[in-house]
Amino acid sequence: MSLCDDTLLCNFPKCRTKLSGFAWVTACSHVFCDQHGSGEFTRSPAICPACSSALSGKLDIVRTELSPSEEYKAMVLAGLRPDIVLDISARALAFWGYQVHQEHMYQEYSLSRADTQLKQMEKLLTQQNQSRELELNAMRGEIASLKKMEEYKRKYSEVSERLMERNRQYQKLQGLYDSLRLRNMAVVARHATPQRSPQSFSLGPDRDSRFFSCLEADGAKPFFQFSSPARDKGRPFISNH
């Protein structure tokens, strides 16, 4: 806003709209739109919403028309001395210059605050980017670990399959070995000759005759050739003296 601008802004903190039609001007060099001026200055005592100054004078608050008619402009200063006209004009220009200065300061304050907020946002954004980068690095590490785990699982699955195949082959060989061992035992049992003990004899007619023939061959008497006690009684007893 410059001195050449033909539009003032409402000095109400939350309004700041361009003024048109009627405006409320205060002795503390503030101006307000008709809506906020009517709402603020109808109460007593009147307080300036911009600087909190007390406005108790009769002409401390003036409702003025911003686009006066030609008749008003022709008659408002008519009959006044030139120095009064110049004084009025100087005060009016001073009021305008003050508004321009206040707007300039407000814009600088807004720019400074926006710059501070921008720096804070940039700092926050940098911190968030660093945090996101750390999270991404952690996620990349987790992904690499998962890939290694998948590789380990794949290798474990392959080793397990090979182990199962070796177990199947071992079971097959074990079955073949058991069958061959049983077959060999059967063949050995079928071709082996039984060994007889000389002191063990089986009963039977043939075996009895063999037993007694063996005794005769050795000079032994048969059982029925031994003398009985009754037969020996009839023989004289000869003692060898």
Side-chain angles (χ1 to χ4, degrees):
M1 181 179 178
S2 65
L3 291 174
C4 298
D5 293 335
D6 57 354
T7 304
L8 296 177
L9 300 177
C10 178
N11 296 158
F12 195 81
K14 295 183 179 180
C15 182
R16 298 191 54 79
T17 58
K18 291 183 178 181
L19 300 177
S20 61
F22 291 88
W24 293 76
V25 181
T26 64
C28 55
S29 300
H30 292 108
V31 62
F32 302 93
C33 64
D34 196 26
Q35 177 183 357
H36 288 99
S38 301
E40 295 292 331
F41 300 134
T42 54
R43 295 174 295 187
S44 180
I47 302 296
C48 177
C51 63
S52 302
S53 298
L55 304 172
S56 57
K58 184 178 179 180
L59 296 178
D60 286 349
I61 303 171
V62 176
R63 185 175 183 266
T64 183
E65 186 177 1
L66 298 178
S67 299
S69 62
E70 293 297 328
E71 292 82 3
Y72 178 81
K73 289 188 287 185
M75 299 300 296
V76 66
L77 296 177
L80 300 178
R81 295 195 311 268
D83 57 336
I84 297 176
V85 173
L86 291 175
D87 185 37
I88 294 172
S89 299
R91 293 187 182 188
L93 290 174
F95 177 85
W96 191 275
Y98 176 77
Q99 285 293 314
V100 172
H101 177 69
Q102 289 295 318
E103 182 64 25
H104 181 69
M105 290 181 62
Y106 178 80
Q107 293 297 336
E108 285 184 350
Y109 168 74
S110 298
L111 181 61
S112 175
R113 199 168 91 178
D115 186 60
T116 303
Q117 292 178 352
L118 179 61
K119 289 180 179 179
Q120 291 178 354
M121 293 298 294
E122 288 178 351
K123 183 178 180 180
L124 180 62
L125 181 61
T126 302
Q127 293 176 354
Q128 290 181 351
N129 288 336
Q130 292 177 353
S131 177
R132 296 295 182 274
E133 187 66 25
L134 292 176
E135 291 179 358
L136 287 175
N137 291 334
M139 293 179 67
R140 291 191 187 101
E142 291 180 359
I143 291 173
S145 300
L146 290 174
K147 288 182 178 179
K148 290 182 180 179
M149 188 177 296
E150 292 294 332
E151 183 68 19
Y152 292 154
K153 287 182 178 180
R154 186 181 62 81
K155 290 182 179 180
Y156 174 77
S157 178
E158 292 178 356
V159 171
S160 298
E161 290 179 358
R162 289 199 297 267
L163 180 61
M164 292 176 63
E165 181 65 25
R166 295 294 173 83
N167 286 334
R168 286 193 292 268
Q169 293 177 1
Y170 172 77
Q171 294 294 335
K172 185 176 180 180
L173 292 175
Q174 185 68 30
L176 291 175
Y177 170 75
D178 292 339
S179 62
L180 290 174
R181 184 170 60 86
L182 293 175
R183 185 181 301 174
N184 189 21
M185 290 175 63
V187 171
V188 170
R190 188 165 51 248
H191 290 82
T193 57
Q195 297 180 356
R196 297 191 185 100
S197 175
Q199 296 179 357
S200 62
F201 301 96
S202 61
L203 299 177
D206 296 335
R207 299 297 175 92
D208 294 340
S209 59
R210 290 177 183 176
F211 174 72
F212 291 115
S213 61
C214 290
L215 292 177
E216 292 175 357
D218 294 336
K221 294 180 180 182
F223 175 76
F224 296 102
Q225 293 180 4
F226 285 97
S227 60
S228 62
R231 185 181 300 176
D232 293 335
K233 287 181 179 180
R235 294 180 182 180
F237 179 75
I238 298 173
S239 60
N240 295 324
H241 294 285

